[in-house]
DNA sequence: CCGAATTGTTTTAAGCCTAAAATGTTTCCC
DNA sequence: GGGAAACATTTTAGGCTTAAAACAATTCGG
């Protein structure tokens, strides 16, 4: 059983939560650090893709999605997977079809739907880029031990779940 | 002293590094998860800022930098801190001066330099937004324990250092 | 002191990105 | 069957973003 002073503390801290602004400086710092890491790595990858293959990161990301779906994907699927807007995908696909990396056709069973997939050229170029890309990522994370990687994976999974829950609460 | 079999293993793994492609699937998955978390949270914050205050995330970020520097900052400083290109800052500042949130003047001692700072209006609006913003972040990370937060901070610091080192190697 | 780097900012050209409205298609259900 | 709702995509308008080139001002080395 908790001491009286503990109970007072607990009550106190719960009261505070309603009456006075809580201190969330730690979470804020965590968010900024997370953002910094991502921006840093993303910028590095973007630059290398540009220099080595003259390709943009969004194009690479889109091709990566399609590489995992040999039978093709709809634009909506791509949009959800990449977590970008529908209109964004439209333009991206347009340019990749233009450059011969993507094939696009209207679904036979539903004329609303556009199915896109990698062309032979698109797949070949993507595989070539992906192989090198993987070594860049390995190098960027090189100072993390296997244990660090596992632990980060676990904590980020928890973070993702927490954020999704919070986003859900807002939309509800 | 390591056993003979260990030596063989070590040699083997070092040889592999050169001769055959290493497996970096774990690092790749980690990078994708990191990116997912950031995109998720960033999108959520962007949406809330727009709905509640009709402001964009980049504008908010720029004001956040200036709020920490009452004496003002140069465009280069802002650009480095925000990790975006110089030209990007120019446009952003233009719009924020236009809307009365920023004050901009040429340095007395160096006519190349533009010093910007928040106006009274800009500071007041930022403080109002920042207070609410902090509660959003707290909510998005709500399911993480204080220990999780500390551990994530530590691992992300390590990640940042590793990525910076790797980026430095490339530029060298 | 003067030309050559260096530094700070802006401009340019192209592409990325979003939210919201518009368009076309399918499904649901009465 | 015939609307209403839901869905997939495109369009629109505006803003963000980058890399590279251009411009302007300062500093540095001889």
């Amino acid at each position: 059983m908790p001491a009286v002073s503990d109970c007072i503390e607990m009550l106190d801290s719960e009261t505070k939560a309603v009456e006075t602004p809580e201190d969330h400086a730690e979470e804020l710092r965590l968010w900024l650090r997370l953002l910094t890491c991502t921006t840093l790595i993303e910028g590095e990858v973007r630059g290398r893709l540009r220099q080595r293959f003259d390709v943009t990161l969004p194009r690479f990301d889109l091709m990566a999605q399609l590489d995992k779906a040999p039978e093709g994907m709809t634009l909506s699927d791509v949009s959800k997977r990449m977590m970008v807007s529908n209109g964004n995908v439209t333009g991206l696909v347009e340019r990749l079809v233009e450059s011969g990396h993507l094939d696009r056709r209207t679904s036979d069973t539903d004329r609303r739907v556009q199915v896109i997939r990698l062309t032979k050229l698109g797949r070949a170029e993507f595989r070539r880029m992906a192989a090198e890309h993987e070594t860049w990522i390995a190098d960027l994370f090189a100072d993390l031990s296997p244990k660090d990687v596992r632990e980060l994976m676990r904590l980020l999974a928890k973070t993702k779940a927490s954020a999704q829950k919070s986003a859900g609460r807002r939309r509800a």
Side-chain angles (χ1 to χ4, degrees), chain A:
Chain A
M1 175 185 173
V4 172
S5 64
D6 287 351
C7 290
I8 289 175
E9 267 178 30
M10 283 160 64
L11 281 170
D12 213 45
S13 94
E14 296 215 350
T15 303
K16 257 190 201 157
V18 191
E19 289 178 356
T20 72
E22 290 259 19
D23 177 40
H24 298 307
E26 287 312 302
E27 284 89 344
L28 205 46
R29 274 159 42 82
L30 174 57
W31 164 232
L32 293 179
R33 189 163 292 182
L34 186 62
L35 188 55
T36 296
C37 282
T38 300
T39 305
L40 188 60
I41 297 169
E42 195 172 332
E44 200 57 27
V45 171
R46 184 194 309 282
R48 296 190 200 203
L49 280 174
R50 170 176 204 59
Q51 288 206 341
R52 285 281 298 134
F53 302 114
D54 193 33
V55 77
T56 67
L57 184 51
R59 280 186 234 238
F60 179 80
D61 285 344
L62 176 40
M63 288 196 269
Q65 292 300 327
L66 291 176
D67 188 56
K68 290 186 287 193
E71 73 292 348
M73 295 175 82
T74 70
L75 296 200
S76 286
D77 287 344
V78 171
S79 160
K80 281 188 200 82
R81 287 290 188 96
M82 291 181 75
M83 298 194 284
V84 299
S85 67
N86 287 337
N88 189 356
V89 174
T90 297
L92 221 36
V93 167
E94 221 160 60
R95 288 183 285 270
L96 280 166
V97 168
E98 172 68 24
S99 63
H101 294 86
L102 258 57
D103 175 73
R104 158 205 240 153
R105 58 180 190 69
T106 303
S107 162
D108 297 324
T109 60
D110 187 339
R111 277 182 310 180
R112 288 173 302 184
V113 174
Q114 303 283 321
V115 177
I116 54 175
R117 57 183 83 187
L118 286 173
T119 60
K120 206 168 271 264
L121 169 72
R123 189 169 302 274
E125 287 208 3
F126 173 74
R127 293 280 169 88
R128 200 161 53 86
M129 296 189 288
E132 199 161 324
H133 172 264
E134 190 167 312
T135 70
W136 300 338
I137 299 300
D139 194 58
L140 285 160
F141 287 94
D143 285 356
L144 271 60
S145 70
K147 190 182 159 208
D148 288 336
V149 172
R150 274 197 307 278
E151 190 64 2
L152 253 183
M153 284 289 279
R154 185 182 71 79
L155 290 168
L156 289 175
K158 206 168 172 179
T159 301
K160 179 179 168 186
S162 179
Q164 277 173 333
K165 204 166 115 186
S166 170
R169 266 196 299 278
R170 182 170 73 111
R171 272 190 298 280

